[in-house]
Amino acid sequence: MTASLKYSPPHEQSDILLRLREDYEQAVLDLFDSDQEADGVRPALDVIGHTSNFLNNMRLPVHRWFRYSAGFSAEWVKLLLAERDGSDLRVLDPFVGSGTTCLACDEMGVPSYGIEAHPFVFRVAQAKLSYATDPERLIAKAERAFSFAQKARARTEHYPEIIGKCYGLETLDYLDRFRRAVEAEQDGSPEARLLWMALVSSLRVVSEAGTAPWQYVLPGRRKTVPPSPEVTLHKAVQMIASDIRFMARRAKPLAKLRVDDARKCATVPNNWADATRLEMAFLGEIRGWGDLQEAVRRHLVRACSQHVPPKSVKLDEVLAASELGPIRDEIMSVCRELSAARLERGGKKTYNNMVACYFLDLAQTWNALRRVCASPSEVCFVIGDSAPYGVYVPVIEWFGKLALAAGFEAWTFEKLRDRNIKWKNRKHRVPLKEGVLWVQG
């Protein structure tokens, strides 16, 4: 994530954020009938510290509707905003994902602009930012959908293979009927987006196959007793209705969302300031990996070796791009080492192509950010360094050099945690870190 801020100088920490957090905790607890139920949603108060972790959001209204792996703490975003007082504060997130930054900005009364290239993830963010609606209209729309699903006949023969591996016949039968009910209710209203969100948020919960909390689908692992899809969907609608009642008391819808490429920021005015394969397959948006490549990946920053298979790019031409001038000698050396290392590994992953393409994409992103960021501004990246096949990639330093080349003035890095120290089966022992890169301009 990057957040570009037009700001006044930070002031001393006041009690505003602590008050917000205490109010937030109490309001969340008021939504539930017992302490046992509240334990699963109570927001953590330890905001200061390792705040890049998305797990905190799973305890928070609206944020908990969809667990997205590429995330960070909304409370941390609010802390940054509270430290930067001023009526002219504005935020841009060119990798908005599921909307964490924009939701936090709405709660703090700060105008924000979020862009996202992944069409499904953008739709999740759009649904989350539809919280400013009447919960009774949502419930009425949901009841029509449940009534439709009771009467409809399922048509399950068109689903791709992965869906058959994840759901039993009875579960898929009901999900298909409810999916068609949701489609029938799509009228462009906020309530329609929220009804879609209720369906999407339930898909992994009711799967009979193993599904990790976000991107992974594990058909070889089976759940003992998955919950009923109808019961789960009713609970999802009730949760969303409760959350939008809560947000009505504490947020103002100011955010703007656009489908856009961070390398261009084409929808952002000047000086303004694969993780979803299961869901997209169920919704009929893709049938397999090939569709995913065409529908999604070609629009994204190339941050995975699967984005750049062998012969898909001409490595020498990528490395010769003018945008990589500030780091050319260093990145050429790393890519040569990775080109040799991949031939000695069983997977032969194209980390050499990935590193070259990723930093070219990010160099273009830095240039786009310099165009749309007002002065003075700050850019914040939550990032970590990397060592594919044990070859160290100095991500932080290269980001800093590319930012300066784009016209920003200075950069600093604040380490949040060490990485590559937890897993016993790790393939290398290169010390790594994660933290916050701050760029001023």
Side-chain angles (χ1 to χ4, degrees):
M1 161 270 191
T2 63
S4 149
L5 306 171
K6 182 177 181 183
Y7 69 103
S8 300
H11 60 76
E12 288 188 16
Q13 179 70 31
S14 69
D15 64 350
I16 181 173
L17 198 65
L18 180 59
R19 186 173 70 252
L20 285 172
R21 294 201 305 270
E22 290 172 343
D23 176 43
Y24 209 104
E25 180 181 55
Q26 187 57 55
V28 173
L29 296 185
D30 288 345
L31 298 177
F32 296 89
D33 295 330
S34 69
D35 289 340
Q36 182 178 3
E37 290 175 324
D39 283 341
V41 295
R42 181 179 290 110
L45 294 181
D46 54 342
V47 176
I48 300 173
H50 292 188
T51 53
S52 63
N53 195 325
F54 187 64
L55 294 178
N56 288 344
N57 288 358
M58 290 302 96
R59 299 169 176 242
L60 302 179
V62 183
H63 297 280
R64 60 185 175 153
W65 295 353
F66 188 79
R67 188 165 189 167
Y68 185 54
S69 60
F72 45 85
S73 169
E75 293 291 87
W76 174 65
V77 178
K78 290 194 288 182
L79 173 63
L80 298 182
L81 296 173
E83 290 176 338
R84 289 157 175 80
D85 194 12
S87 58
D88 61 347
L89 188 66
R90 290 178 292 176
V91 173
L92 163 67
D93 190 341
F95 301 101
V96 76
S98 61
T100 298
T101 297
C102 288
L103 281 166
C105 287
D106 277 7
E107 288 193 65
M108 298 295 284
V110 174
S112 66
Y113 206 112
I115 64 178
E116 175 56 47
H118 193 304
F120 176 83
V121 178
F122 172 85
R123 195 173 178 185
V124 171
Q126 189 180 44
K128 287 183 174 180
L129 287 163
S130 299
Y131 63 82
T133 188
D134 183 348
E136 299 309 317
R137 290 204 301 266
L138 167 63
I139 291 172
K141 185 174 281 290
E143 289 305 319
R144 290 196 297 272
F146 284 115
S147 177
F148 180 104
Q150 287 178 348
K151 301 173 184 176
R153 294 182 62 182
R155 298 194 297 266
T156 59
E157 65 279 357
H158 65 283
Y159 287 101
E161 183 180 2
I162 187 175
I163 299 303
K165 292 181 177 180
C166 290
Y167 302 103
L169 292 178
E170 186 176 344
T171 297
L172 184 56
D173 181 279
Y174 189 83
L175 287 176
D176 177 77
R177 288 184 279 129
F178 194 81
R179 177 187 63 80
R180 289 191 287 118
V182 169
E183 290 175 352
E185 290 291 335
Q186 293 304 301
D187 55 9
S189 66
E191 301 81 44
R193 290 192 287 269
L194 293 170
L195 183 62
W196 176 88
M197 187 76 260
L199 172 61
V200 167
S201 68
S202 301
L203 290 178
R204 290 177 188 255
V205 177
V206 303
S207 170
E208 295 169 27
T211 52
W214 41 81
Q215 66 264 44
Y216 299 113
V217 180
L218 309 170
R221 299 184 183 179
R222 312 302 294 181
K223 296 176 185 174
T224 305
V225 184
S228 155
E230 185 172 7
V231 171
T232 300
L233 285 162
H234 273 288
K235 288 183 176 179
V237 170
Q238 292 166 5
M239 173 186 69
I240 292 173
S242 294
D243 286 0
I244 61 179
R245 290 188 187 101
F246 169 70
M247 290 296 283
R249 303 195 300 269
R250 75 173 297 108
K252 181 179 180 180
L254 299 172
K256 296 180 180 180
L257 288 180
R258 298 289 186 273
V259 177
D260 197 356
D261 187 332
R263 294 166 292 191
K264 300 175 182 177
C265 293
T267 63
V268 185
N270 289 347
N271 298 317
W272 197 88
D274 88 71
T276 55
R277 182 185 173 204
L278 172 68
E279 289 81 3
M280 294 184 75
F282 175 78
L283 295 170
E285 296 171 6
I286 62 169
R287 293 196 64 82
W289 286 111
D291 294 343
L292 190 64
Q293 173 67 30
E294 178 62 24
V296 176
R297 284 182 169 170
R298 66 189 182 93
H299 304 292
L300 305 181
V301 167
R302 292 167 287 185
C304 172
S305 62
Q306 292 175 327
H307 292 181
V308 284
K311 300 181 180 180
S312 64
V313 298
K314 295 181 179 179
L315 182 58
D316 290 341
E317 291 183 6
V318 174
L319 292 172
S322 60
E323 294 94 333
L324 292 179
I327 61 172
R328 191 180 324 280
D329 291 343
E330 298 166 84
I331 196 172
M332 287 181 69
S333 176
V334 166
C335 288
R336 280 197 298 268
E337 193 172 352
L338 285 170
S339 295
R342 67 177 291 268
L343 299 178
E344 301 172 357
R345 305 299 178 101
K348 292 183 171 54
K349 292 187 177 181
T350 54
Y351 290 131
N352 51 342
N353 291 348
M354 182 197 74
V355 168
C357 291
Y358 175 74
F359 282 95
L360 175 58
D361 290 349
L362 264 296
Q364 294 168 352
T365 300
W366 281 115
N367 289 332
L369 287 176
R370 181 61 283 181
R371 174 180 62 81
V372 301
C373 288
S375 295
S377 60
E378 281 183 307
V379 179
C380 169
F381 265 86
V382 179
I383 60 169
D385 48 14
S386 180
Y389 285 152
V391 178
Y392 183 66
V393 181
V395 177
I396 298 156
E397 290 77 9
W398 288 1
F399 267 40
K401 290 180 179 181
L402 293 173
L404 296 183
F408 289 92
E409 296 176 357
W411 65 274
T412 56
F413 180 74
E414 174 190 353
K415 187 176 83 169
L416 297 177
R417 66 184 181 97
D418 292 314
R419 296 172 54 232
N420 198 38
I421 59 175
K422 179 179 179 181
W423 309 111
K424 294 182 180 179
N425 65 342
R426 61 189 185 274
K427 301 299 183 182
H428 63 78
R429 298 182 180 275
V430 178
L432 301 173
K433 57 187 176 294
E434 180 180 86
V436 182
L437 177 74
W438 292 99
V439 174
Q440 291 78 37

